[in-house]
């Protein structure tokens, strides 16, 4: 995972625009506060499936990132496998950066 994505996650956390943990992310999605749902690479398929279900229900993009819980935890100060971004600006920036990463790896 690129340093820019991890930096954005850290900024979102410091700005108070990040919910950490499955329950907090689902609550944010159901309350229509979440703008992006993220799952780390080492989260179980069942958790990702449940998270994607909640995202689809609310029209919220759900993305599985390449970094594990340990790496994302170092970046944002909270060790959690599931994160919800509650700010549209941070969500758009993260999606843009994740898309750019995907394009670079496919070259």
């Amino acid at each position: 995972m690129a340093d820019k994505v991890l930096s954005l996650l850290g900024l979102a956390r410091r700005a108070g625009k990040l919910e950490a943990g499955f329950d907090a992310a689902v609550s944010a999605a159901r309350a229509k506060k979440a703008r992006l749902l993220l799952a780390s690479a080492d989260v179980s398929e069942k958790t990702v499936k449940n998270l994607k279900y909640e995202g689809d229900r609310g029209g919220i993009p759900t993305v599985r990132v390449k970094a594990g819980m340990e790496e994302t935890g170092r970046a944002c100060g909270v060790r959690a496998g599931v994160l919800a971004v509650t700010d549209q600006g941070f969500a758009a920036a993260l999606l843009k950066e994740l898309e750019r990463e995907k394009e670079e790896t496919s070259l």
Side-chain angles (χ1 to χ4, degrees), residues 18-98:
L18 194 70
E19 297 289 332
F22 181 81
D23 292 338
V26 168
S27 292
R30 288 181 180 168
K32 307 286 188 218
K33 292 180 181 177
R35 302 292 176 243
L36 175 64
L37 298 172
L38 300 168
S40 65
D42 50 1
V43 169
S44 74
E45 289 299 322
K46 181 180 179 190
T47 301
V48 173
K49 181 181 171 186
N50 291 337
L51 188 66
K52 181 131 179 67
Y53 171 78
E54 292 295 337
D56 290 346
R57 249 178 87 188
I60 304 164
T62 306
V63 181
R64 189 165 199 170
V65 295
K66 295 176 186 172
M69 279 190 268
E70 204 62 42
E71 196 174 354
T72 56
R74 277 195 302 273
C76 59
V78 175
R79 188 174 185 273
V82 175
L83 302 168
V85 179
T86 59
D87 180 78
Q88 187 60 45
F90 280 119
L94 281 162
L95 282 171
K96 182 179 175 184
E97 190 60 31
L98 289 165

